[in-house]
Amino acid sequence: MKFDDYRIDEEIKKSIDKLGYKKPTDIQYKSIPPILKGEDVLAIAQTGTGKTAAFAIPIIQVLHERKLKNRPDGVKCLVMAPTHELALQIHSVFKSLGKNTRVNCYCIHGGVEQEPQIKQLEKGVDVLIATPGRLFDLVSQGALNLHRIEILVLDEADHMLDLGFIKDITDLMRHIPKKRQTLFFSATINEKIKKLAYSLVSNAIRIQISPKDPVAKNIEHAVAFIEMDDKRFFLEYLLKEHSDKKILVFIRTKVRAERVKKAMDRADIITDTIHSDKEQAERNLCMKNFRSGELKVLIATDISARGIDIPDVDYVINYDMPESPEQYVHRVGRTGRGRQKGQAYSFCSSEEKDLLATIEERLGKPIERIEISKNDYQYTIESAVDKSQDWKKLMKEVYQEDLKRAKKKNKSKK
Ligand code: AMP
């Protein structure tokens, strides 16, 4: 199957070509035809499968065909996404694909001023990509009318539930016409998600991509047993060994993220952190630098990095074992995007072995082990530059930075 075989406008095909997509991915192959026909879709698709284009291509086609007029009439398609980063990323896919069409799209999310968003909405928007919180605020204030929505997309619905957006979503449904096309995307499925999905879609085409092996085939992933206090030495070693590579490091908490950054600073390794305590502008800049490759190593917590698509991430490192198999799948899915190859390493300490067992049980097979001999283990610790065992000092520094950031945040809110 080629994109040429679809009933898609030449202008859109040109944009697809420009993005370098040669043929549809599995999820695109399965979703594009039913979406073009106006059917509801319920798709369980792992990350990095090309799911954004799977809904963006047919939506742009359908709206482009419609020869849109009367823009101020209202938004025609609403895409809800859990995080700012993901919303911005979906927006950029819509912009690239819809470049030569009449379809205009816009993105709203919290953490920035509302006024410019309201002005843009007044001018008219065909496709609106939004996080549920800000969307709900604007609808409640009467600044946004959803009564013309024809297509509703929920992306990463499982993550929206994790973040507690269920109430915003159900409240918003009261403002969206019942007669509409609904496209529901989730990376994982459980009873709660099924309940939400079935309350929204009707007679949906169900699509499930590789349910047996949720980690994409092009990702090589392995685990090494490293004790908690030694992890930073191994990270230092890996980052130095692969200094030309783009590396995304996952850490469980914001405090630990800052602490590890400090340890890498001491070893003269440039890194940056992204987490929810940072200002939106800081987060955007950090993402921009990582995306462009100016920043090689990004240390992230799960919330901030879920679903985001950064091109060419060579390695994902789970500095902390993720708390759930779903998180594992999401984290390692940040590398090996589309048809590229990727590698993921997990550092597992004695305390985390039960987390590893749960992940393996869900994956249905063991994760490859990286055997580190006693000598190599010792050598890695001894050759590390950052030998500071003074964790209390490190923690104090982190605390002071957190305090500074909190004060800055409070000041800007006043
Ligand atoms: P997504 O799952 O939407 O986050 O997409 C993951 C990555 O796959 C993105 O970097 C896309 O640019 C890329 N991608 C999407 N569709 C294709 C395609 N048909 N061929 C190659 N890469 C693609």
Side-chain angles (χ1 to χ4, degrees):
M1 191 77 180
K2 294 192 289 268
F3 284 109
D4 267 344
D5 302 331
Y6 292 115
R7 185 182 52 80
I8 295 172
D9 195 273
E10 277 314 310
E11 292 302 333
I12 302 172
K13 282 185 184 156
K14 266 190 221 157
S15 304
I16 294 175
D17 202 43
K18 221 166 168 194
L19 284 171
Y21 302 172
K22 300 274 177 285
K23 55 180 190 168
T25 62
D26 219 11
I27 181 80
Q28 291 162 5
Y29 172 74
K30 289 180 176 146
S31 321
I32 294 175
I35 299 177
L36 283 174
K37 276 196 228 152
E39 313 228 39
D40 280 10
V41 164
L42 199 173
I44 308 302
Q46 64 200 73
T47 54
T49 50
K51 65 185 163 65
T52 316
F55 60 80
I57 292 171
I59 288 174
I60 291 171
Q61 171 62 28
V62 168
L63 298 181
H64 178 64
E65 251 172 23
R66 206 82 54 82
K67 301 193 175 34
L68 292 162
K69 277 186 235 143
N70 304 330
R71 281 235 159 79
D73 198 25
V75 174
K76 305 279 182 299
C77 168
L78 173 66
V79 182
M80 280 196 234
T83 61
H84 306 170
E85 282 81 11
L86 183 59
L88 288 169
Q89 191 179 292
I90 297 171
H91 184 215
S92 94
V93 173
F94 267 94
K95 267 203 313 207
S96 309
L97 288 167
K99 205 165 166 218
N100 303 312
T101 68
R102 299 175 204 91
V103 183
N104 86 13
C105 45
Y106 188 59
C107 179
I108 57 170
H109 56 73
V112 291
E113 283 194 24
Q114 288 191 4
E115 279 313 308
Q117 298 182 339
I118 295 174
K119 279 211 178 89
Q120 187 61 38
L121 289 168
E122 278 165 2
K123 281 192 209 155
V125 169
D126 303 319
V127 179
L128 180 66
I129 299 114
T131 51
R134 176 57 58 95
L135 185 67
F136 183 74
D137 290 347
L138 292 177
V139 171
S140 311
Q141 292 163 30
L144 172 61
N145 195 331
L146 301 178
H147 71 289
R148 293 280 180 212
I149 299 284
E150 295 167 26
I151 308 172
L152 171 69
V153 184
L154 279 98
D155 194 19
E156 301 236 350
D158 49 346
H159 192 33
M160 287 204 268
L161 291 191
D162 288 348
L163 292 179
F165 282 134
I166 184 76
K167 189 163 179 339
D168 283 340
I169 295 172
T170 36
D171 285 348
L172 279 162
M173 287 309 144
R174 283 190 273 116
H175 300 270
I176 299 175
K178 284 213 166 56
K179 194 173 168 305
R180 56 162 198 261
Q181 181 180 17
T182 305
L183 314 174
F184 189 100
F185 287 80
S186 180
T188 54
I189 186 96
N190 60 28
E191 283 311 312
K192 251 165 75 186
I193 294 156
K194 264 192 217 162
K195 201 171 152 213
L196 175 67
Y198 287 116
S199 71
L200 299 177
V201 299
S202 63
N203 288 329
I205 304 289
R206 279 192 268 169
I207 297 168
Q208 188 149 2
I209 303 293
S210 313
K212 287 208 186 72
D213 188 359
V215 176
K217 287 187 199 74
N218 45 339
I219 300 170
E220 283 176 17
H221 55 126
V223 59
F225 294 108
I226 301 169
E227 290 315 323
M228 204 53 100
D229 282 349
D230 300 332
K231 287 184 176 185
R232 64 204 160 108
F233 304 123
F234 283 84
L235 182 65
E236 180 184 326
Y237 170 80
L238 269 177
L239 297 184
K240 283 192 172 148
E241 192 74 355
H242 302 290
S243 56
D244 56 328
K245 302 283 193 230
K246 204 187 253 197
I247 302 178
L248 181 57
V249 182
F250 279 103
I251 294 206
R252 198 170 301 137
T253 65
K254 310 170 219 185
V255 173
R256 281 173 65 71
E258 291 301 330
R259 185 162 107 174
V260 170
K261 180 183 184 312
K262 281 260 174 261
M264 294 306 112
D265 285 352
R266 285 164 198 265
D268 286 330
I269 298 170
I270 298 170
T271 64
D272 205 350
T273 57
I274 182 164
H275 50 69
S276 55
D277 264 5
K278 288 200 154 178
E279 296 282 336
Q280 188 59 39
E282 267 181 290
R283 282 163 68 166
N284 289 350
L285 181 67
C286 179
M287 287 305 298
K288 186 170 157 252
N289 290 342
F290 192 54
R291 217 175 272 279
S292 71
E294 199 175 306
L295 172 70
K296 289 278 183 214
V297 184
L298 179 62
I299 303 173
T301 55
D302 289 286
I303 299 284
S304 54
R306 263 245 350 216
I308 53 176
D309 178 36
I310 305 134
D312 321 319
V313 172
D314 299 295
Y315 291 92
V316 162
I317 296 175
N318 287 322
Y319 189 89
D320 289 321
M321 286 306 284
E323 279 171 7
S324 70
E326 287 76 20
Q327 251 174 17
Y328 184 82
V329 171
H330 271 105
R331 286 182 179 189
V332 303
R334 299 306 96 210
T335 180
R337 310 288 283 165
R339 295 182 184 278
Q340 289 172 2
K341 289 218 175 305
Q343 313 234 30
Y345 295 139
S346 301
F347 293 176
C348 179
S349 67
S350 305
E351 304 90 304
E352 294 172 308
K353 282 190 176 162
D354 50 341
L355 291 175
L356 175 64
T358 315
I359 293 165
E360 290 184 319
E361 195 181 321
R362 183 70 65 88
L363 297 182
K365 56 181 173 190
I367 298 171
E368 190 191 323
R369 277 15 183 196
I370 303 170
E371 302 297 342
I372 308 172
S373 70
K374 262 194 179 152
N375 280 349
D376 284 350
Y377 196 104
Q378 206 48 39
Y379 174 79
T380 307
I381 295 176
E382 277 162 17
S383 58
V385 173
D386 174 37
K387 293 270 185 24
S388 153
Q389 295 292 343
D390 192 357
W391 283 101
K392 271 197 189 139
K393 186 166 169 245
L394 264 157
M395 284 301 281
K396 199 171 157 203
E397 282 175 18
V398 168
Y399 176 73
Q400 277 163 349
E401 288 219 343
D402 266 355
L403 201 66
K404 244 186 356 207
R405 194 172 295 119
K407 279 185 183 162
K408 202 172 135 204
K409 217 171 173 177
N410 283 343
K411 225 167 145 186
S412 67
K413 272 188 191 152
K414 277 181 193 162

